[in-house]
Amino acid sequence: MDLISLADVQAAAGRIRRRAVRTPLLSCPWAEGRLWLKPENLQPVGAFKIRGATNALRALPERRRAAGVVTHSSGNHGQALAYAARAEEVRCTVVVPEGAPEVKLAAMRRLGAELVPVAPAERERTAVRLAERRGLTLVPPFDDREVIAGQGTVGLEIVEDLAGVDTVLVPVGGGGLASGVATAVKGLRPDVAVVGVEPELAAEVAEGLGEGRRVSWSPERTHRTVADGVRVGPSDLTFAHMAARLDGVVTVTEEEIVAAMGVIARRARVVAEPSGALAVAAHLAGRAGGGCAVAVVSGGNVDPALLSRAVAGEPAETE
């Protein structure tokens, strides 16, 4: 399969400049070992997804961009595409799974997106049908070369800003972020380890890498995790990137995820949604290896009640 290159990520960096924030690295003297956070919750839409959505939209020919775009998303990618579309004066439709967090749905509505709720298993098929029926361009949340390249700019910035980095920890769901970050980091610093992190209750990539093939878990199975942003597994494209470029994938429990959210909020003053706390959870659990580590906090669009429980140190509630 034809994988994206470092040059693709570098081209994306030029397209998203002045649209996405170049987030800082935050040192964590309170953590065991040397840990830095890459707080993508500071993006205008509260998550890294703005990078890939903006790159994909700006890479489209003018005619296709003007016709409008559609995607399927539990929230963060939908918000990102809606934000990017509004900046370019393009209409945006988002197919959302029933049960998605209201905080994310409300954010997409505020950005002007049309929402189409469907059963979780129908989200991708519905988006494809809408694209065909309305003449829209489908911008997938991760199964797209331009989206992957845009997410990879996170890795470019890490390597440029921290010469002594040994390990980059990145959340894994659909795999667009991990694919892009691994491409950028390995392209610039082959010696740096890039490790993906999944919830135990949605560990499709960890299982797939162990078996040497992509595997799929049912929505009913992955829906059990509190980390709603990583309930969807990889595509053939993202799995190929991760199989070729990740140094491994580790898993964390629901309790470790929620505990990490609380630690990040109390000690780093950073708001992380469950998916955004995965990388820090792996470090705190001692599964990240040694040396100087950067944990990507992928987003901060969290339900206030869940954040309150996490900060208070209350246990996770799984479905």
Side-chain angles (χ1 to χ4, degrees):
M1 185 172 291
D2 186 23
L3 307 185
I4 70 162
S5 67
L6 174 61
D8 293 323
V9 180
Q10 292 169 328
R15 291 193 192 100
I16 71 171
R17 190 171 294 120
R18 292 185 297 275
R19 296 290 194 197
V21 173
R22 184 186 177 101
T23 53
L25 290 178
L26 306 178
S27 64
C28 303
W30 43 266
E32 184 174 344
R34 290 175 290 160
L35 176 67
W36 297 73
L37 305 184
K38 178 71 168 168
E40 287 294 293
N41 61 304
L42 299 180
Q43 293 292 349
V45 296
F48 75 95
K49 293 282 190 175
I50 191 172
R51 297 172 181 267
T54 298
N55 186 53
L57 187 61
R58 301 199 82 186
L60 286 175
E62 176 59 33
R63 179 184 59 79
R64 292 180 61 194
R65 187 163 62 239
V69 292
V70 63
T71 193
H72 54 94
S73 169
S74 65
N76 283 344
H77 176 67
Q79 288 180 65
L81 188 60
Y83 182 93
R86 186 174 68 172
E88 302 288 337
E89 299 184 343
V90 171
R91 64 176 174 143
C92 176
T93 301
V94 184
V95 178
V96 297
E98 295 169 347
E102 180 56 37
V103 65
K104 296 184 178 182
L105 300 179
M108 285 186 278
R109 293 189 191 100
R110 286 195 300 271
L111 290 167
E114 175 193 356
L115 304 189
V116 180
V118 298
E122 294 297 317
R123 49 190 271 182
E124 184 173 359
R125 283 191 289 270
T126 302
V128 170
R129 286 197 296 269
L130 285 173
E132 295 171 347
R133 187 182 311 145
R134 300 183 183 180
L136 307 174
T137 294
L138 177 64
V139 180
F142 52 86
D143 189 27
D144 182 272
R145 292 175 57 85
E146 300 295 356
V147 170
I148 293 171
Q151 318 304 28
T153 59
V154 171
L156 285 184
E157 294 172 12
I158 290 172
V159 173
E160 291 170 358
D161 292 348
L162 189 62
V165 61
D166 297 303
T167 304
V168 176
L169 300 165
V170 57
V172 174
L177 177 62
S179 297
V181 168
T183 297
V185 172
K186 292 296 186 181
L188 293 170
R189 289 280 307 279
D191 59 306
V192 174
V194 183
V195 178
V197 185
E198 288 183 303
E200 286 184 356
L201 297 183
E204 288 162 281
V205 176
E207 180 179 321
L209 292 178
E211 295 189 7
R213 62 180 181 88
R214 184 172 75 88
V215 300
S216 296
W217 290 15
S218 69
E220 293 76 19
R221 187 177 180 187
T222 61
H223 199 77
R224 298 172 300 161
T225 181
V226 69
D228 62 283
V230 295
R231 287 172 177 165
V232 176
S235 65
D236 288 337
L237 179 62
T238 56
F239 186 79
H241 280 82
M242 290 185 286
R245 293 171 178 167
L246 283 184
D247 291 280
V249 173
V250 299
T251 62
V252 290
T253 68
E254 299 298 292
E255 293 73 17
E256 289 167 342
I257 295 168
V258 175
M261 290 173 60
V263 170
I264 297 168
R266 293 190 301 269
R267 304 302 298 274
R269 307 297 189 267
V270 168
V271 173
E273 62 189 89
S275 306
L278 289 173
V280 175
H283 180 87
L284 295 176
R287 301 192 188 104
C292 180
V294 173
V296 178
V297 178
S298 56
N301 296 314
V302 59
D303 178 79
L306 174 58
L307 178 63
S308 178
R309 293 199 303 271
V311 173
E314 296 179 15
E317 294 181 3
T318 58
E319 300 183 32

